[in-house]
Amino acid sequence: MPERSTITIHVNGHTVVVPAGSVVSAALLAVGEPCRMSVSGEPRTAFCGMGICFECRAVIDGVAHQRTCQMLCHEGMSVETQR
Amino acid sequence: MMRRTDVLVIGAGPAGIAAATAAAKNGCSTIVLDDNVAAGGQIWRGGIDSARTKEDPAKTKAIAALRSSGAEILAGRQVVDQPAPGVLRAVITMADGTRAESFAWDRLILATGARERFLPFPGWTLPGVFGAGGLQALVKGGFYVEGKRVVVAGSGPLLLAVAAHLQEYGAKVVAIAEQAPLRQLLPFAASLLGSSLGKLLQGARYRASLARTPYRMGCWPVAVEGEESVRGVRLTNGRRVWSEPCDLLACGFHLVPNTELAELLGCKLRGDFVEVNVRQQTSVANVFCAGEPTGIAGLEAALIQGEIAGLSAAGAAREASELYGRRSREQAFARRLEAAFRLRPELRSLAVPDTIVCRCEDVPFSQLQEHISWTDAKLQTRCGMGPCQGRICGSAVQTLFNWRATSVRPPLFPVPLEVFDSEEISISPETIVH
Ligand SMILES: Cc1cc2nc3c(=O)[nH]c(=O)nc-3n(C[C@H](O)[C@H](O)[C@H](O)COP(=O)(O)OP(=O)(O)OC[C@H]3O[C@@H](n4cnc5c(N)ncnc54)[C@H](O)[C@@H]3O)c2cc1C
Ligand code: FES
């Protein structure tokens, strides 16, 4: 079977096609959706890119507080901004 | 689940790879744990390559040597605590949830690397502002920057590596702003001419891809412009301030070592770094440390220290001692690096009263100014109490106020409680006998 070179995921209800091997926070950046809203209500996106700042937390397949910079997209994944 | 091994290595960057390879080749059962999706650490981070990038042959060689050594690499494992002496526990996030695994070790090698130092200034929390290495990592992870205008700012040789890399992915780097002034950088640049050819070539490669990008020394960011996203960044050279239009800002002020795990295990620090002897052994018996936690010294040092640590852990003292000479040369490089990229005092006054210092809890600069220590500030403002556990604001307040981090507490990263509840740590006496 040929390797799939793109993956379809759902970001805040929008369907997004990303290259296979993409990390989830890159997909969020591509569509311009914030990963999370901060405690004072500011939109935040991935910052350190290496798993230490926790700015990239989002809700993945219904599970809250997942660091999206350390996670690869998989087919059909649901990604929602953490509020 | 509990496994046991002769040698456990934490971190699969260059130092951890070299350590594990040396230990396994010398007959030790060896396991390497790393929290990233694949081995390589920061400099050898994998990802989606652009048409213009090539994998570093040094990486290919090191990973092949690791594979053939018999060491086992377990990626996606974040080490969070020490449930019993001689045992470390890691957390894995899988598609079907998070679970814990424990590893009983006979000798432990810490190769946990470094992270970027971030300093707060107006606008640094806006979407479109990233760490320098942070943006590089996200681009490798599939963030598409073709045609985007990027300012790379802050300090350290990493800025050049990042800028060259972003250009390879099609971004337009409009300026590189290095806070260190030319007179501070000159001795370092001169020393590169006299040192290894590898470093010089790497520098030359960067210069070639950055031929048309201004490298402004003695120049730093004072504010990000834009309401909802980045429109530009205000830069200064101390005499005048100007605006540099851009779409993205990649900004980091050199590196700080990841010493939390070493501290949790009781390893003594010297200054900001883990103290080690000639064998790369820490103050704790059977615990070794290599790479950036022992000093910011770059790739070559990480490889040599890692190999020495692996050989020492395997009891191959003579082979280890043959590498001491090469290591001292790299350590001399580290000292020049430190002097060259020393931070200028002006960086301490970039934050204005409403600039957020703690991004997890949104604590502004004005609330911190009233306090006398980090402990005091933490209790009163929640600065450093969020999920990053002070990894970002901790090094910022150390630079801004000279406050030192207090004790490290487990778990080192937030872990859902049920993960620990579901795991039985049963240690039979023989598993912990050394
Ligand atoms: C973001 C970033 C980007 C960089 N990019 C470059 C570059 O392009 N070129 C360059 O010359 N230098 C770069 N550097 C410098 C680089 O750190 C060194 O040159 C070299 O990689 C250091 O090797 P190391 O093995 O000591 O650490 P690292 O390469 O940092 O490896 C440490 C590893 O340990 C893992 N780890 C840490 N704590 C835990 C834990 N608790 N549980 C599990 N795993 C853990 C980390 O995830 C990491 O994979 C970069 C540094 C950073 C911080
Ligand atoms: S971007 Fe910092 S943890 Fe993911």
Side-chain angles (χ1 to χ4, degrees):
Chain A
M1 210 172 72
E3 224 182 288
R4 211 197 274 270
S5 58
T6 61
I7 288 175
T8 304
I9 65 167
H10 308 285
V11 179
N12 288 339
H14 309 290
T15 300
V16 184
V17 179
V18 298
S22 294
V23 298
V24 180
S25 44
L28 280 152
L29 287 165
V31 284
E33 293 285 315
C35 295
R36 69 177 193 108
M37 302 306 287
S38 77
V39 297
S40 66
E42 290 183 3
R44 298 280 169 78
T45 52
F47 180 66
C48 75
M50 57 176 285
I52 57 155
C53 74
F54 287 72
E55 287 287 42
C56 65
R57 278 172 294 148
V59 185
I60 307 297
D61 293 329
V63 185
H65 300 295
Q66 302 296 306
R67 281 173 306 164
T68 57
C69 72
Q70 296 295 91
M71 193 177 264
L72 295 175
C73 294
H74 64 74
E75 188 62 36
M77 184 183 249
S78 145
V79 182
E80 281 161 79
T81 297
Q82 175 98 43
R83 308 220 169 241
Chain B
M1 191 183 86
M2 164 88 107
R3 296 189 48 188
R4 66 154 303 121
T5 179
D6 294 341
V7 175
L8 181 66
V9 181
I10 312 303
I17 291 174
T21 307
K25 267 187 157 158
N26 282 273
C28 302
S29 67
T30 304
I31 295 178
V32 195
L33 305 178
D34 191 285
D35 55 353
N36 285 291
V37 294
Q42 299 306 341
I43 181 168
W44 292 337
R45 180 181 289 276
I48 301 176
D49 281 340
S50 82
R52 279 166 280 193
T53 52
K54 271 203 279 324
E55 188 151 284
D56 183 347
K59 171 186 178 180
T60 317
K61 200 174 132 208
I63 302 255
L66 176 62
R67 293 246 152 78
S68 66
S69 73
E72 188 180 352
I73 316 164
L74 298 174
R77 265 78 169 180
Q78 184 160 50
V79 175
V80 293
D81 70 346
Q82 174 179 237
V87 180
L88 284 182
R89 181 155 53 181
V91 169
I92 327 162
T93 305
M94 317 275 266
D96 58 352
T98 306
R99 60 162 213 268
E101 268 177 6
S102 293
F103 299 85
W105 49 267
D106 199 44
R107 279 138 292 159
L108 176 66
I109 301 175
L110 305 175
T112 48
R115 55 178 178 258
E116 290 182 271
R117 178 188 286 108
F118 299 116
L119 296 177
F121 51 90
W124 78 302
T125 55
L126 262 188
V129 181
F130 303 89
L135 181 57
Q136 180 183 35
L138 290 161
V139 167
K140 286 189 181 179
F143 178 32
Y144 190 69
V145 288
E146 177 116 29
K148 292 227 161 72
R149 296 165 306 165
V150 189
V151 170
V152 178
S155 197
L158 183 55
L159 301 186
L160 287 169
V162 168
H165 187 260
L166 293 173
Q167 301 259 77
E168 283 172 354
Y169 279 79
K172 179 161 177 23
V173 177
V174 290
I176 305 169
E178 165 59 61
Q179 60 86 33
L182 175 64
R183 60 168 191 286
Q184 196 175 302
L185 289 167
L186 266 182
F188 173 73
S191 76
L192 278 187
L193 292 172
S195 84
S196 80
L197 191 62
K199 281 187 191 115
L200 192 64
L201 285 178
Q202 202 180 35
R205 194 187 124 223
Y206 291 158
R207 270 197 300 278
S209 53
L210 294 171
R212 285 191 302 276
T213 305
Y215 183 59
R216 299 191 200 286
M217 289 161 277
C219 175
W220 62 96
V222 289
V224 179
E225 295 172 325
E227 298 296 313
E228 264 138 42
S229 58
V230 177
R231 274 190 291 105
V233 54
R234 276 213 294 284
L235 298 175
T236 185
N237 55 12
R239 294 180 299 279
R240 62 183 191 94
V241 178
W242 68 96
S243 173
E244 198 72 62
C246 61
D247 307 304
L248 305 172
L249 170 62
C251 184
F253 294 87
H254 208 29
L255 304 177
V256 286
N258 292 326
T259 55
E260 289 77 9
L261 181 55
E263 289 175 72
L264 185 74
L265 298 172
C267 301
K268 233 164 85 187
L269 299 190
R270 180 189 290 155
D272 294 337
F273 299 101
V274 177
E275 185 179 274
V276 287
N277 65 14
V278 284
R279 304 170 57 228
Q280 297 293 139
Q281 190 165 9
T282 69
S283 63
V284 176
N286 295 319
V287 178
F288 299 80
C289 187
E292 314 267 58
T294 67
I296 305 299
L299 173 64
E300 241 67 56
L303 288 169
I304 295 192
Q305 293 172 356
E307 192 174 350
I308 294 174
L311 291 168
S312 305
R318 193 182 48 78
E319 286 92 328
S321 66
E322 285 164 8
L323 300 171
Y324 291 175
R326 265 168 68 206
R327 180 182 53 194
S328 343
R329 285 195 289 283
E330 293 304 327
Q331 273 155 352
F333 171 75
R335 284 190 291 276
R336 291 194 296 268
L337 197 65
E338 192 186 335
F341 296 100
R342 204 175 47 239
L343 297 184
R344 60 193 317 129
E346 290 94 326
L347 298 173
R348 290 198 219 122
S349 40
L350 297 181
V352 299
D354 68 352
T355 306
I356 284 170
V357 176
C358 169
R359 302 172 70 112
C360 294
E361 299 288 337
D362 283 357
V363 182
F365 183 67
S366 59
Q367 276 186 27
L368 294 173
Q369 274 174 306
E370 305 157 13
H371 298 284
I372 48 158
S373 71
W374 204 26
T375 312
D376 184 33
K378 264 179 149 170
L379 292 173
Q380 308 294 325
T381 69
R382 295 198 52 78
C383 182
M385 305 280 271
C388 94
Q389 303 188 357
R391 282 181 175 79
I392 307 297
C393 61
S395 35
V397 298
Q398 188 175 346
T399 306
L400 296 180
F401 304 113
N402 230 339
W403 293 344
R404 301 292 299 214
T406 40
S407 64
V408 170
R409 286 207 193 100
L412 292 176
F413 294 91
V415 176
L417 268 183
E418 62 274 14
V419 174
F420 285 171
D421 289 348
S422 65
E423 202 220 16
E424 284 284 320
I425 305 281
S426 51
I427 304 163
S428 55
E430 63 271 23
T431 55
I432 48 170
V433 168
H434 287 282

